[in-house]
Amino acid sequence: MQFEVSVAIATAIMVGAFILDWPRAVAGLALGIVCRYLPYGTIFIPVGVILVSGAAELLYPWFGRTTEPHFWSFFFGLFAVAGTASSLYITIRNLKDRL
């Protein structure tokens, strides 16, 4: 029962992250998948979240998504990337432990 509740919470967080900022959420999913296969994934997740959110904040003006980098956009990007990356990473880890 605990696993099902954690999956439901992770799904809700991922849906919220996709609604908030879907490009960064997709990057967070990729980060979560990649970090699952790294030996120190729990260390690389926070570092990767900051790097992906910062890189997206600098690239968004080039694509016309925003006019300039902004701190609040970076902050919301942190939620979008961390919400998907950590939720996916932890869900996969818990599923592997359960099997």
Side-chain angles (χ1 to χ4, degrees), residues 27-39 41 44-45 88-89 92:
L29 284 176
L31 179 66
I33 291 169
V34 168
C35 285
R36 181 63 201 125
Y37 297 106
L38 295 176
F44 289 118
I45 289 281
L88 183 68
Y89 180 81
I92 292 172

Side-chain angles (χ1 to χ4, degrees), residues 21 23 56-69 73:
D21 191 2
E57 189 63 31
L58 294 176
L59 291 175
Y60 273 2
W62 287 0
F63 297 124
R65 190 163 166 93
T66 61
T67 57
E68 63 185 12
S73 177

Side-chain angles (χ1 to χ4, degrees), residues 17 20-31 44-61 63 65-66 68-85:
L20 184 65
D21 191 2
W22 72 267
R24 289 186 198 174
V26 171
L29 284 176
L31 179 66
F44 289 118
I45 289 281
V47 172
V49 164
I50 293 169
L51 292 176
V52 167
S53 184
E57 189 63 31
L58 294 176
L59 291 175
Y60 273 2
F63 297 124
R65 190 163 166 93
T66 61
E68 63 185 12
H70 194 269
F71 174 73
W72 287 110
S73 177
F74 173 74
F75 179 73
F76 289 130
L78 285 176
F79 170 74
V81 177
T84 54

